[in-house]
Amino acid sequence: MQPFTFVRLQYRSGNWDTDPRMPSNLLHSLIQYTTVPVSEQEKVVSLESAELFKYPFSYLSGHKLVQFNQKERQNFETYVKNGGFVFVDDCNHDIDGLFARSFEEQMRQIFGANALKKIPNNHKIYRSFFTFEEGPPTTSFELNGWGDDLVHDYLKAIEVNGRIAVLYSNKDYGCEWDYDFRNKRWLAEDNTKFGINIIMYALTS
């Protein structure tokens, strides 16, 4: 089995290099909770590059404008339609923010107006490793009134052939998990566990 590689997508617009400690934190959790072999460093891959197609999982985030060029758009579409999984996280936690509006517009242009849909809170992604009975766990940013001051009790997704190909969050999980993994011991409950569900779903669906 090939080691799992956490791939971060680099795109030309906006700011793609957010939450720098989050990948190593999730990779540490994969080692802690699962038997999945892990490549211990995240890998940055340009959305314009064919290298993307080597990896089953990728992550895209930002605060600013998302405006794919033709090659980025083409690769994104080909990747997800051929079995790739993209976890997309809005670092603004704001459904009316620039990242959310521009990313959702990109998805409309590529996949159609109704492609991004809310997924039910009993979806199997919430049981793919740990169990989350109430759907997506709430982040501290939601509880503290960051961004749009809402607690989003859902995630959205684009499905291809009955599986989630693009998982989309306005909950700012990237920043929620952006801390040194050694500080996890101070938490009453490890808040990265849902990240394990996302990765395990991507690898097994």
Side-chain angles (χ1 to χ4, degrees):
M1 185 179 182
Q2 285 287 99
F4 169 76
T5 300
F6 189 103
V7 168
R8 183 191 295 270
L9 293 179
Q10 179 180 20
Y11 53 99
R12 288 187 177 270
S13 58
N15 63 326
W16 54 269
D17 53 345
T18 58
D19 40 64
R21 295 169 298 182
M22 183 271 273
S24 61
N25 198 356
L26 285 192
L27 291 169
H28 175 265
S29 295
L30 270 179
I31 294 168
Q32 181 180 4
Y33 296 117
T34 80
T35 58
V36 174
V38 167
S39 178
E40 294 185 8
Q41 299 292 325
E42 79 165 309
K43 185 174 185 64
V44 175
V45 175
S46 168
L47 186 51
E48 295 177 306
S49 171
E51 186 181 9
L52 170 63
F53 301 109
K54 297 178 182 178
Y55 304 102
F57 171 95
S58 61
Y59 173 67
L60 186 150
S61 67
H63 300 91
K64 300 178 183 177
L65 180 74
V66 181
Q67 184 70 54
F68 293 155
N69 62 33
Q70 184 176 354
K71 187 62 177 176
E72 289 173 331
R73 186 177 292 115
Q74 180 184 348
N75 277 4
F76 192 100
E77 179 177 9
T78 302
Y79 178 71
V80 302
K81 287 185 174 178
N82 287 275
F85 179 98
V86 188
F87 172 39
V88 180
D89 191 57
D90 170 16
C91 285
N92 294 324
H93 175 235
D94 186 355
I95 56 174
D96 291 318
L98 185 55
F99 179 89
R101 286 187 286 110
S102 60
F103 175 76
E104 290 176 28
E105 178 58 29
Q106 294 302 301
M107 295 302 97
R108 279 191 288 270
Q109 290 179 19
I110 298 171
F111 300 105
N114 300 312
L116 260 180
K117 295 178 179 175
K118 292 181 183 180
I119 58 173
N121 287 349
N122 62 355
H123 191 280
K124 71 176 186 177
I125 198 168
Y126 301 118
R127 302 186 306 278
S128 60
F129 196 81
F130 297 105
T131 298
F132 295 89
E133 296 283 1
E134 298 178 358
T138 302
T139 66
S140 60
F141 297 95
E142 293 178 296
L143 296 175
N144 292 336
W146 168 256
D148 57 21
D149 200 20
L150 297 172
V151 173
H152 302 284
D153 59 356
Y154 60 87
L155 297 178
K156 289 184 176 182
I158 294 172
E159 293 194 342
V160 176
N161 298 325
R163 66 167 186 97
I164 291 175
V166 180
L167 181 69
Y168 176 53
S169 157
N170 293 113
K171 297 174 75 67
D172 199 3
Y173 283 123
C175 291
E176 182 80 351
W177 302 330
D178 181 29
Y179 58 89
D180 190 295
F181 65 84
R182 288 166 292 197
N183 292 333
K184 231 184 294 190
R185 66 186 185 275
W186 305 114
L187 300 177
E189 176 74 15
D190 181 353
N191 65 4
T192 67
K193 286 181 175 179
F194 183 55
I196 303 306
N197 277 42
I198 293 171
I199 292 171
M200 295 302 286
Y201 177 90
L203 296 180
T204 58
S205 296

